[in-house]
Amino acid sequence: MTQARQAGVLLHITSLPSGSLGPDAYRFVDKLVEMGVSVWQTLPVNQPHGDHSPYQSVSAHAGHTGMISAEQLQHDGLCLPDEVELPLHALIAKVMSRVQSGGATSRTDGHGLTWPGFARFCQTQHYWLEDFALFQSLREQHAEQSWQQWPEAYRLHDVMALQAFTSTHQDKLSLIKFTQYVFFQQWVQLKIYANQRGIQLFGDIPIFVAYDSADVWAHPEWFKLDADLNMTVVAGVPPDYFSETGQRWGNPHYDWPVMQADGFAWWLGRIDTQAQLFDVLRIDHFRGLQAAWEIPSMEPTAINGSWQEAPGHALLQAMTDTFPQLRLVAEDLGIITPEVDALRHAFDLPGMKILQFAFGGDDDNPYLPDHIEPNSVAYTGTHDNDTTLGWYQAAPEHVRNHLQHYFTQHLQQDGVEMPTSLIQLTLHSNANLAVVPMQDILALDTQARMNTPGTTEGNWLWRMEWSQLTDEKRLAFRHLVEESGRVHG
């Protein structure tokens, strides 16, 4: 990804105080610059379902409209002060009307909302936008029920029925498309601001899509479904560090021969969409590109599944041929075989090293800092881990002792202070990029955990407060970045 030593911070957009692409996002970029950081990593930014999980979206392409900032629209001259608190659909309808009538925008950099710009957006994003707008409109028409519960004509994607629906719902469909236009424009504006200040945006692509999504509804032939369009197998992982019964994610599996027959067109379109938003992309559950765990759909847990091979080499070759400047990172956690490693090495992709996994075992643990190779991304923990302080507080004594011994031996410092000590070990590792979750910079405990794998309640809700990022914490982290040779700016 890069030969230079860099530092990054992991914070999802929804974890900003406002949870949006407005002033808080720009302020956060400024704080990253002050801390000497050059990479901002987020979770997937697609439109989620009601559980808020960014890994279960209604579209592999569409942006999360909840991230749209009314304050930013006001700043751009398209929203009046008394409209900021309106429901999103009502606010966007007013903005759309103003833009359509040529309403002025305060932006002078060429990145404001315009009606010709909206027309170009609809044209360039046609490969997913039409299906998504139809899907969302039909979903609203049917009380947010899964497409499998819709009347047969809509469920089976009957062309005549959809044409009739389209002709009578033009305004609604246009508003859905325009809302996506607003999201993409606000994101591009933020990306330009970040890039101009030396900050790269690092995104995340979930390997699977949700069953109740525009992608599966519009193209069921790309997935392993039966004659009634029900899933025959679902995705997940076998028992591991996180769960004794494995994780049953419930996503449909790809019908790889069908996808490969058209040159992986859907995947290439997906990469194209995300490459507009990010400078670097992480492929979540990378091992699934070599072989994925298939669970019979009737099984209640992930225990009774099997590994099924995927054409990962052909897919990655198509990606790199189509997008030669693409920078990818492989999320290679979990059960990793020599075949998975070989696939990653064939395309020289950085893997991930989690230091919370490094201690309490043997000295040959691959997550120990002195075993980390430069072509890696090192983390204290990820969104699926406890915060480092929470992890350490709950860690068994032998894990703490191992960490204490290792820290003293390798950094010649007495006494472990958490989470600072694990941050230091991460930043001092050989990995070209070291990423620290914002919760660790703020020294927060388990209450600030983002996600607990295998659970469905209380996840994805944490938000930081600006008061937590004191000058002392900001300067302390800058010092750690500087002393590890990763400073930027």
Side-chain angles (χ1 to χ4, degrees):
M1 187 174 74
T2 176
Q3 297 304 310
R5 286 173 65 79
Q6 294 179 286
V9 172
L10 171 60
L11 181 81
H12 197 37
I13 301 295
T14 61
S15 291
L16 290 165
S18 65
S20 76
L21 296 167
D24 279 339
Y26 291 83
R27 183 178 178 183
F28 189 68
V29 168
D30 294 339
K31 296 299 181 185
L32 293 178
V33 173
E34 292 173 7
M35 292 189 291
V37 169
S38 54
V39 174
W40 177 2
Q41 182 174 353
T42 74
L43 305 183
V45 297
N46 305 107
Q47 182 73 45
H49 283 81
D51 64 356
H52 306 292
S53 171
Y55 296 90
Q56 294 284 350
S57 62
V58 297
S59 167
H61 302 277
H64 185 356
T65 56
M67 295 179 182
I68 291 175
S69 168
E71 290 80 6
Q72 200 64 28
L73 289 171
Q74 182 183 351
H75 177 268
D76 291 348
L78 291 165
C79 171
L80 300 177
D82 61 355
E83 296 171 345
V84 170
E85 300 300 327
L86 286 173
L88 181 65
H89 71 278
L91 172 64
I92 298 299
K94 288 183 178 294
V95 172
M96 182 175 173
S97 178
R98 290 188 181 114
V99 171
Q100 187 174 14
S101 62
T105 174
S106 62
R107 297 194 70 90
T108 58
D109 58 6
H111 296 288
L113 302 175
T114 67
W115 200 247
F118 175 47
R120 287 192 298 272
F121 175 79
C122 290
Q123 183 178 19
T124 58
Q125 307 301 315
H126 183 271
Y127 61 97
W128 65 269
L129 190 60
E130 294 294 326
D131 286 333
F132 173 72
L134 262 175
F135 178 81
Q136 282 293 85
S137 187
L138 284 163
R139 207 161 180 268
E140 291 180 20
Q141 186 91 350
H142 296 96
E144 305 296 329
Q145 287 184 315
S146 168
W147 62 265
Q148 187 64 297
Q149 308 302 316
W150 298 350
E152 183 175 310
Y154 297 144
R155 180 169 58 86
L156 300 182
H157 220 268
D158 181 82
V159 174
M160 296 296 290
L162 293 180
Q163 286 178 345
F165 183 88
T166 299
S167 66
T168 57
H169 293 81
Q170 282 292 338
D171 289 346
K172 180 63 178 177
L173 294 170
S174 294
L175 184 60
I176 292 172
K177 296 175 189 176
F178 190 84
T179 306
Q180 286 298 309
Y181 173 54
V182 173
F183 170 88
F184 274 80
Q185 283 299 106
Q186 288 201 344
W187 188 282
V188 168
Q189 290 164 12
L190 176 64
K191 185 175 185 295
I192 291 170
Y193 185 87
N195 288 169
Q196 288 175 342
R197 286 153 183 78
I199 305 295
Q200 298 173 312
L201 299 186
F202 182 179
D204 195 359
I205 297 182
I207 187 172
F208 298 114
V209 300
Y211 176 61
D212 185 19
S213 66
D215 308 273
V216 179
W217 169 70
H219 291 281
E221 71 275 12
W222 290 339
F223 301 88
K224 289 187 175 181
L225 309 179
D226 62 21
D228 294 320
L229 304 185
N230 294 309
M231 292 181 287
T232 57
V233 289
V234 298
V237 289
D240 61 8
Y241 171 88
F242 290 111
S243 173
E244 292 181 357
T245 59
Q247 298 175 44
R248 186 188 186 280
W249 298 332
N251 308 75
H253 274 279
Y254 300 115
D255 191 326
W256 283 115
V258 174
M259 285 195 154
Q260 191 165 5
D262 68 0
F264 303 105
W266 177 82
W267 269 96
L268 297 180
R270 187 182 191 190
I271 294 294
D272 189 28
T273 306
Q274 297 305 303
Q276 298 169 42
L277 306 177
F278 294 103
D279 302 294
V280 184
L281 291 170
R282 182 188 93 138
I283 300 179
D284 178 58
H285 196 58
F286 175 81
R287 72 104 51 245
L289 295 185
Q290 189 277 319
W293 189 248
E294 291 192 354
I295 308 159
S297 59
M298 301 306 292
E299 288 286 339
T301 73
I303 294 176
N304 296 318
S306 60
W307 292 107
Q308 299 295 321
E309 290 192 4
H313 194 283
L315 173 60
L316 289 167
Q317 191 65 61
M319 288 182 186
T320 54
D321 288 346
T322 307
F323 305 99
Q325 302 303 314
L326 185 65
R327 288 180 289 167
L328 295 174
V329 171
E331 186 270 283
D332 56 344
L333 306 175
I335 301 174
I336 302 303
T337 64
E339 291 81 4
V340 178
D341 281 333
L343 179 62
R344 181 174 66 82
H345 289 304
F347 293 88
D348 200 27
L349 304 182
M352 291 174 56
K353 304 297 180 184
I354 313 301
L355 267 72
Q356 286 188 22
F357 297 160
F359 301 99
D362 298 330
D363 288 337
D364 61 354
N365 187 313
Y367 296 108
L368 286 168
D370 52 337
H371 294 162
I372 296 175
E373 61 184 20
N375 192 31
S376 301
V377 184
Y379 296 79
T380 51
T382 74
H383 65 277
D384 281 336
N385 295 97
D386 199 346
T387 67
T388 292
L389 182 58
W391 164 78
Y392 186 71
Q393 289 172 339
E397 185 176 0
H398 74 281
V399 172
R400 293 189 184 205
N401 291 339
H402 188 190
L403 174 60
Q404 169 75 66
H405 175 75
Y406 192 95
F407 184 76
T408 303
Q409 181 182 24
H410 288 264
L411 290 185
Q412 287 77 52
Q413 296 182 29
D414 293 328
V416 167
E417 180 185 349
M418 297 301 278
T420 302
S421 296
L422 200 69
I423 293 174
Q424 280 184 281
L425 287 174
T426 304
L427 292 173
H428 279 273
S429 73
N430 291 324
N432 287 336
L433 175 60
V435 177
V436 180
M438 194 62 190
Q439 292 96 318
D440 289 352
I441 295 173
L442 301 177
L444 300 178
D445 63 15
T446 300
Q447 296 299 313
R449 182 169 185 164
M450 191 63 167
N451 179 51
T452 303
T455 68
T456 57
E457 300 294 330
N459 297 319
W460 318 112
L461 301 176
W462 176 76
R463 287 190 180 184
M464 66 170 284
E465 300 174 7
W466 286 119
S467 60
Q468 295 171 320
L469 185 59
T470 62
D471 288 343
E472 181 182 13
K473 285 189 171 69
R474 178 175 53 80
L475 292 173
F477 188 67
R478 165 111 191 177
H479 173 71
L480 297 178
V481 174
E482 286 178 339
E483 72 171 14
S484 62
R486 298 180 184 273
V487 74
H488 168 80

